[in-house]
Amino acid sequence: MKKLLFATTAAAGIIASGFGAQADASENTNYTNQNTNYNYTTTQTAQPTQTTESTDASNTSEVYKEFIAAGGTKALWDNIVMPESSGNPNAVNELGYRGLGQTKEAWGTGSVAEQTKGMINYAEERYGSVEAAIEFRQANNWW
């Protein structure tokens, strides 16, 4: 009986202290390629939805510059990269999709240039063009 009472009390304490509430934990993550070092703060919330990784504006700006230099377009950035990963090349969601374009393909963990080229190839192979991939993403909220 004491064990049952203890277990019930412990469960009630867990529920009262934050079951369903958000618990935040932050850790710094470094992303390095041959030219640039990015520092990101990773915030994980106790929700079954998605792990979010936030970037500051200067890091996103640097990633954007590399993305454009590698052949990406402003339309691809605005309509696929930003909704999928917020411009974070290290973004990972709860299903394991990663990178700027949120993929499970190898290019999702490469440099910004590799990820950009992988996204362009994927868009052209799957949808026929980057523009068609953007249209699909806008219509379906995934790509």
Side-chain angles (χ1 to χ4, degrees):
M1 183 69 169
K2 286 182 182 179
K3 288 180 182 177
L4 177 60
L5 181 59
F6 178 74
T8 303
T9 304
I14 291 170
I15 291 170
S17 69
F19 181 81
Q22 291 186 357
D24 292 332
S26 294
E27 108 185 20
N28 287 327
T29 305
N30 290 320
Y31 165 73
T32 306
N33 72 15
Q34 61 269 24
N35 299 321
T36 310
N37 183 25
Y38 304 106
N39 292 312
Y40 293 94
T41 300
T42 305
T43 303
Q44 297 180 344
T45 56
Q47 295 177 339
T49 53
Q50 180 166 347
T51 299
T52 58
E53 297 187 17
S54 61
T55 63
D56 66 35
S58 64
N59 287 340
T60 302
S61 176
E62 290 301 314
V63 173
Y64 177 77
K65 289 176 187 175
E66 287 187 46
F67 178 83
I68 296 298
T73 64
K74 183 175 182 343
L76 185 61
W77 179 267
D78 291 343
N79 293 288
I80 295 182
V81 172
M82 291 306 289
E84 292 289 338
S85 67
S86 300
N88 182 349
N90 296 319
V92 179
N93 75 11
E94 75 279 2
L95 298 174
Y97 291 87
R98 57 195 181 270
L100 294 172
Q102 292 294 282
T103 182
K104 288 189 176 181
E105 301 295 326
W107 53 263
T109 59
S111 68
V112 172
E114 291 169 333
Q115 290 186 43
T116 304
K117 290 173 184 164
M119 287 180 65
I120 293 168
N121 288 337
Y122 175 77
E124 290 172 349
E125 288 175 11
R126 179 167 179 146
Y127 301 101
S129 69
V130 170
E131 293 76 19
I134 290 170
E135 288 175 17
F136 183 91
R137 173 71 175 75
Q138 290 172 333
N140 297 284
N141 208 28
W142 65 275
W143 78 303

